[in-house]
Every structure is written in structure tokens, then in C-alpha cells.
């Protein structure tokens, strides 16, 4: 059997699994994590997951939050990861979140866990800005499955990319900027309810999906998108810059960990839904779906090898990744339908040998949620691959989904990968992805953290919500599949092309950020922002921000190109339409195309 690039043959893996079954039968291979003994009531999540119940002294909880925040506030490229989980009840705490910190409730409804105080992200000092504060690098943290009753005037969530808020009930005002007019650049809310005003402030772009806004959403900068949001502002792009869709075409919410009535840990798997709006849990309704016991998961620890993880998957386990960095010498292979891979505390998959981090077969219903993928020094062709390039099976009744999956090329260390994410399986749902070729951190430079393209979609009927793709050296996104849909797109072109000759595509100067393949007959996209900041002191031009075949069923709605700073800029917004944004701050907007 032929092997994929850098992969392991299916025949070999199946043979290993057969041998493992025999070993398991005599007790030589544990099916749980690296700690063999655990139960569904007391699973071993490792040293960086902290679980609290209402009997825990408030001072103990607060001290832990303060300790983690002090360590993680500025630890942008560090390797520490943390998750703080609350069993149902009320907690009087001020939870400030730094890098790689996730906070979650363990109830079946967000209202089962009430944080009386705050779950908040604040701005960072920014001496280079007039405001003196910004949230432009507030990445890699999350809040999920809880309610917050603010004891201050609001709950501040000043973030940019890769900092989702899911299944959260804000019982008051939500404030999305760092304050004093400081910059903030893009975030994501899903399946949440905000009772009071949402203050967008300086947030340049934002996606809110399948949620409830009880009061007004204030202002906007460039690109605010609302998909299936009850109480959303009316369509207004470009002034105000609101793109509003009454419903989301196809959704399946992210899996989450909870504790059942008997005290056992389970993972809930929300059902597939169509043409949705509002949350899945409001008005006392039970969310539709199914659940599986934590006993059905291999609870992995950062010391586990890829071979050990693959063995557990082949033996029928799902995978729960506890906080930390997983250095891999071979890909994690998902061959079984309905496999769940769930990360706690933003764990990182780090391929060290030039292979993929994760390869998913063209099967039904795989769910991957809550993981980082960090390219290694040896170049990978692809970091995550969904399906094979030769198959077009119908997965519409049970698609694969990727949720809160974030890629980095450079930043923590030198990284190289030709492509970050390749989706070949039809009907895949992409829900909040940030693919980032690093512009700061470690190993940064045009010839150091090399990467051609962030996301390549070859499958048909793929739907993407919250596609953030930035700084890659050629096209940021290439969409070759038919009937694709993107709802919200954010993309900065690479900052660092050294010359126009080094950054010229087959169709002209520079590379478009979002490219629809020339053979595609049907495609829809709403709310797209493409930005330039060429910072090498060279006049670099991109002929267009978006490139697509001009055909009636390839349709774009509410697009903007922006000159942020630097030299050069973008000549047109889509194909030959739009005005130049070159040489100084400016925007070009197009409501519909063609």
C-alpha cells in the first residue's frame, strides 16, 4: 500500500492494532492515559487542569487564577498551558486570563456555573500607540460553558484572534476593546447570550454566530459579521460595517466536557443543525445531541508518543489532549468515523520530523476541537489534512468539523510548512480557524518561517465560519471545491516580502489573499476583510485582495480592503473592482460582486 508523504501505511497501523488487542487482553497495554488508573468520576487530567466545586474556598481559587495570570500575562511564545474547570455552582472570583489559559464550566447549561465577578481579558501596554494600550496580541485563550455576572460595570473581553467565547451567558454588559481607544483586531463568539449592551469599541472585525444579543451592539470599524444572531443589528455594510445573515446554513457546536448527575465526566456531542439562529440552550431547552463517557477517551499527556496515541485511536478510543506541547515524530492518524479529538487548555501538536501533525481519513463525523498546531524546523508539506485527494464521499448527514483549531508557522520557534490546512472531505464544517505565519516571536523572517498557503479547500460543500488566515507567502486561502461558503474572513497579507520580484503571482503583482479556483462554478462568501502592511520599506503591490472566476454563481458580499501602514498597498478589492488603497491609510468597500 502506498504511503502518504511522511505517513505510515494503513496496513501497518492495523497490524499494530491487532497485536495491541492481544496485549490488551492480557493487561500489558492500558487503554487510558499515561496514568493507568482513573475512573469517570476522577479522571487524571494532569497537573495543569484545576477542577473546583462550590466547597472550594474562594481564596484558594482566586490565588490560583492570580498565580496563572502572573505567569501567563506576557508568556506569548511559552510552552505552559492551563485549564480551569468549575463544577455547577456559584463562584465569587475575578478570573483574568493570560496566554494559553482556558476557563470552562462543567454543567449541561452555561447557567449551571455562575461566575460572580469576571472572566476577563484586559489590554496590554503599547507604548507605540497613541492610546498606550492595545489587545492586538491577546491571542490563545478561551471561555466556555458558563455564565458571568459582572460585579464591575462590564465584563471585559479585549482579544484578537484565537480567543473564542462559546456557550457563555453574560448577565450584563460585554466590553470588547482594551480601553482608551486602543487597538483590537478580531474575535469570535458562538452559542452565547449577552443580556446587556455589547461595546464593540475599537474592534476592527468580529464574528458573532448563533447567539442572542439582548441589547444594542455599539458601533464597528471595518467588518462585523452576525450569522444567526437574535437581536443582531440590521444589515448596513459598509456604513455601519455590519453584515447580518438571519440564519447560519449548517452548524454543529463544539464538544464540551461536563459532569453528569452521578458525578461522572462525560463529553457532550451537539447535533448537526440547519438554518439556525439563537443559542442551543436558552429558554431552559436541553441541547440536542449525544454524550460519551470520559472512559471512552484516551487521556493523553504531553509525554505520550504519536505511536501510543495512534494505538489508542485504532483500538476505538477518542482522544482528549491535556495541556502541554506534544512533540510528534509521526502524524496522529484518525481512521475511524465519529472520532472525537478534544483539547483542554490549548494543547499544541508539534511535528518535529517534517511530517503532518494530524491526518484524518475520508470518514463520517470526525470532530477536532481546541488545539494548536505548531510547525517544526523541518518543513512539513501539510500540517493537518482532512480526507484524501481522491475521494468525494457524501458526508452531509454527518460531516467532519474543525473548531478552534489554530496554526502557527514560527513564533515559539522556527517553523516551516508549505500548507497549514488541507480539506479534501466534502461537507466539512470549519468553525473558527486562525492560520498564522508568524510576524513576531522566534524564527521570524522571509527565509526562516517559510509557508506558501494557509488553507486549501478541495472538498465540495465545505462551510467556513470565522476563517482567519494571515501572512503566508503566496495565497492565504485557495478554494477549489464547489458550493463552498465562507461567513467572515480576516486576512493580513505578508508583512515582509523583500521585493516585488519575490512576491509576484502567475496573475500579476503580489498574491490575492482569497483565491477561488478558476474551474469553480458556485461559491458564496460574506464579510471579507483583506489588509496590507508591507514593512520592509519597499513599494510592494498586490493587484487584488480577492481573485475569483467571474461567473454568476460565484458571489461575494460585503468586502473591504484596507491600507494599514507601511509601503505600497492593494490596487483592487476583487478582480478588477474596487479602488486602490496604496501609500496611506484608506479603505475600499464593495457590497456585492459580480
Amino acid at each position: 500500500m502506498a504511503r502518504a508523504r511522511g505517513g505510515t501505511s494503513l496496513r501497518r497501523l492495523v497490524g499494530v492494532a491487532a497485536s495491541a488487542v492481544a496485549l490488551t487482553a492480557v493487561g500489558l497495554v492500558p487503554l487510558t492515559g499515561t496514568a493507568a488508573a482513573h475512573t469517570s468520576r476522577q479522571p487524571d487530567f494532569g497537573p495543569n487542569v484545576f477542577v473546583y466545586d462550590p466547597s472550594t474556598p474562594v481564596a484558594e481559587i482566586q490565588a490560583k487564577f492570580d498565580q496563572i495570570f502572573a505567569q501567563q500575562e506576557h508568556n506569548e511564545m511559552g510552552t505552559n498551558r492551563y485549564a480551569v474547570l468549575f463544577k455547577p455552582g456559584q463562584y465569587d472570583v475575578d478570573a483574568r486570563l493570560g496566554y494559553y489559559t482556558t476557563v470552562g464550566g462543567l454543567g449541561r447549561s452555561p447557567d449551571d456555573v455562575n461566575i460572580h465577578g469576571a472572566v476577563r481579558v484586559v489590554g496590554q501596554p503599547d507604548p507605540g500607540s497613541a492610546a498606550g494600550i492595545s489587545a492586538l496580541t491577546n491571542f490563545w485563550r478561551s471561555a466556555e460553558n458558563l455564565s458571568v455576572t459582572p460585579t464591575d460595570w462590564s465584563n471585559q473581553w479585549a482579544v484578537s484572534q484565537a480567543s473564542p467565547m462559546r456557550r457563555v451567558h453574560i448577565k450584563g454588559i460585554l466590553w470588547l476593546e482594551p480601553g482608551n481607544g486602543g487597538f483590537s483586531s478580531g474575535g469570535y463568539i458562538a452559542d452565547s447570550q449577552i443580556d446587556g449592551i455589547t461595546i464593540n469599541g475599537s474592534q476592527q472585525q468580529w464574528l458573532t454566530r448563533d447567539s442572542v444579543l439582548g441589547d444594542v451592539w455599539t458601533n464597528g470599524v471595518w467588518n462585523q459579521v452576525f450569522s444567526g444572531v437574535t437581536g443582531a443589528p440590521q444589515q448596513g455594510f459598509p456604513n455601519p460595517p455590519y453584515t447580518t445573515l438571519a440564519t447560519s446554513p449548517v452548524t454543529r457546536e463544539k464538544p464540551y466536557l461536563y459532569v453528569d448527575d452521578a458525578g461522572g465526566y462525560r463529553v457532550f456531542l451537539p447535533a448537526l443543525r440547519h438554518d439556525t439562529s439563537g443559542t442551543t440552550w436558552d429558554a431552559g431547552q436541553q441541547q440536542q445531541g449525544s454524550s460519551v463517557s470520559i472512559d471512552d477517551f484516551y487521556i493523553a499527556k504531553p509525554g505520550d508518543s504519536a505511536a501510543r496515541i495512534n494505538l489508542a485511536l485504532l483500538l476505538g478510543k477518542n482522544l482528549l489532549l491535556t495541556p502541554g506541547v506534544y512533540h510528534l515524530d509521526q502524524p496522529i492518524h484518525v481512521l475511524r468515523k465519529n472520532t472525537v479529538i478534544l483539547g483542554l487548555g490549548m494543547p499544541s501538536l508539534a511535528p518535529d520530523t517534517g511530517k503532518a501533525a494530524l491526518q484524518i481519513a475520508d470518514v463520517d463525523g470526525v470532530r477536532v476541537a481546541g488545539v494548536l498546531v505548531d510547525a517544526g524546523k523541518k518543513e512539513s508539506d501539510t500540517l493537518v489534512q482532512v480526507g484524501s485527494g481522491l475521494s468525494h464521499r457524501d458526508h452531509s448527514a454527518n460531516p467532519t468539523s474543525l473548531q478552534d483549531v489554530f496554526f502557527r508557522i514560527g513564533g515559539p520557534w522556527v517553523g516551516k510548512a508549505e500548507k497549514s490546512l488541507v480539506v479534501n472531505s466534502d461537507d466539512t464544517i470549519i468553525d473558527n480557524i486562525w492560520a498564522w505565519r508568524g510576524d513576531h516571536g522566534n524564527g521570524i523572517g522571509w527565509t526562516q518561517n517559510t509557508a506558501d498557503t494557509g488553507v486549501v479547500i478541495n472538498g465540495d460543500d465545505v462551510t467556513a465560519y470565522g476563517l482567519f488566515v494571515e501572512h503566508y507567502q503566496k495565497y492565504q486561502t485557495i478554494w477549489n471545491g464547489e458550493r463552498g461558503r465562507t461567513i467572515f474572513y480576516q486576512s493580513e497579507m505578508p508583512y515582509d516580502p523583500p521585493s516585488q520580484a519575490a512576491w509576484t503571482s502567475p496573475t500579476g503583482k503580489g498574491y490575492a489573499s482569497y483565491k477561488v479556483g478558476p474551474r469553480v462554478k458556485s461559491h458564496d462568501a460574506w464579510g471579507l476583510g483583506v489588509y496590507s502592511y508591507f514593512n520592509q520599506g519597499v513599494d510592494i503591490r498586490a493587484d487584488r485582495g480577492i481573485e475569483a472566476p467571474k461567473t454568476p454563481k460565484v458571489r461575494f458580499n460585503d468586502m473591504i480592503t484596507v491600507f494599514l501602514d507601511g509601503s505600497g498597498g492593494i490596487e483592487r478589492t476583487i478582480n478588477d473592482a474596487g479602488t486602490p488603497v496604496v501609500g496611506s491609510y484608506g479603505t475600499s468597500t464593495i457590497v456585492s460582486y459580480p
Side-chain angles (χ1 to χ4, degrees), residues 272-428:
L272 187 70
R273 304 191 305 156
H274 294 87
D275 302 318
T276 55
S277 64
T279 69
T280 60
W281 50 268
D282 62 334
Q285 300 179 26
Q286 278 279 40
Q287 187 177 38
Q288 298 299 304
S290 60
S291 73
V292 293
S293 170
I294 198 68
D295 291 336
D296 293 326
F297 282 77
Y298 179 83
I299 301 177
K301 308 292 172 53
D304 285 342
S305 67
R308 186 180 180 92
I309 291 171
N310 282 329
L311 178 59
L313 291 172
L314 282 165
L315 291 172
K317 291 290 189 180
N318 298 303
L319 176 62
L320 189 141
L321 296 163
T322 60
V325 178
Y326 293 76
H327 288 279
L328 305 174
D329 62 355
Q330 60 177 288
I332 295 173
H333 292 276
V334 178
L335 305 173
R336 180 176 53 86
K337 69 178 182 179
N338 299 325
T339 299
V340 180
I341 297 178
L342 179 62
L344 286 182
M346 298 267 174
S348 291
L349 301 178
D352 292 332
T353 59
K355 300 176 183 178
L358 178 63
Q359 292 180 329
I360 302 170
D362 191 33
V363 295
D364 277 351
V366 175
R367 308 180 195 225
V368 181
V371 297
L372 287 166
V373 183
D374 285 310
K377 293 180 182 179
K378 188 171 182 180
E379 185 183 49
S380 298
D381 177 79
T382 300
L383 293 176
V384 173
Q385 179 173 312
V386 181
S388 70
L390 303 176
S391 178
H392 277 287
R393 298 175 58 191
D394 181 3
H395 302 291
S396 58
N398 188 15
T400 285
S401 55
L402 304 174
Q403 297 174 295
D404 303 343
V405 177
F406 308 127
F407 300 85
R408 296 188 296 195
I409 313 292
W413 48 71
V414 173
K416 301 173 184 287
E418 184 177 328
K419 301 175 289 293
S420 288
L421 171 64
V422 175
V423 176
N424 296 314
S425 289
D426 291 352
D427 307 293
T428 299

Side-chain angles (χ1 to χ4, degrees), residues 452-470:
D452 283 356
T453 302
V455 176
V456 179
I457 309 295
N458 298 318
D460 294 338
D461 301 292
V462 172
T463 301
Y465 304 93
L467 197 56
F468 302 76
V469 190
E470 305 194 286

Side-chain angles (χ1 to χ4, degrees), residues 111-188:
D111 287 333
D112 290 343
V113 173
N114 182 28
I115 305 299
H116 193 256
V119 176
R120 62 191 178 102
V121 182
V122 302
Q124 297 193 42
D126 184 2
S129 72
I133 191 170
S134 84
L136 289 177
T137 60
N138 280 356
F139 313 137
W140 306 309
R141 61 202 82 191
S142 69
E144 302 185 42
N145 197 33
L146 47 76
S147 66
V148 181
T149 301
T151 52
D152 200 351
W153 68 275
S154 70
N155 191 85
Q156 188 176 24
W157 190 256
V159 300
S160 288
Q161 297 90 312
S163 299
M165 179 178 284
R166 289 182 182 270
R167 286 179 57 83
V168 172
H169 186 185
I170 302 295
K171 298 180 178 180
I173 296 171
L174 180 62
W175 185 27
L176 299 178
E177 66 163 3
N180 201 33
F183 293 128
S184 42
S185 182
Y188 174 92

Side-chain angles (χ1 to χ4, degrees), residues 202-244:
S202 65
Q203 276 293 348
Q204 296 159 351
Q205 49 267 317
W206 195 279
L207 172 62
T208 307
R209 180 185 64 72
D210 290 274
S211 293
V212 175
L213 301 178
D215 212 325
V216 66
W217 178 288
T218 68
N219 76 290
V221 179
W222 295 323
N223 183 32
Q224 274 71 30
V225 177
F226 305 85
S227 179
V229 177
T230 303
Q234 293 184 351
Q235 171 73 28
F237 190 88
N239 187 24
Y242 298 151
T243 298
T244 302

Side-chain angles (χ1 to χ4, degrees), residues 205 222-223 490-493 529-533 562 564 570:
Q205 49 267 317
W222 295 323
N223 183 32
Q490 176 186 326
S491 181
E492 288 181 352
M493 292 176 164
V530 179
Y531 313 97
S532 77
Y533 172 33
V562 182
L564 297 174
I570 305 171

Side-chain angles (χ1 to χ4, degrees), residues 14 51 72 96 230 301 322 389:
V14 171
V51 180
Q72 298 298 101
R96 294 176 296 171
T230 303
K301 308 292 172 53
T322 60

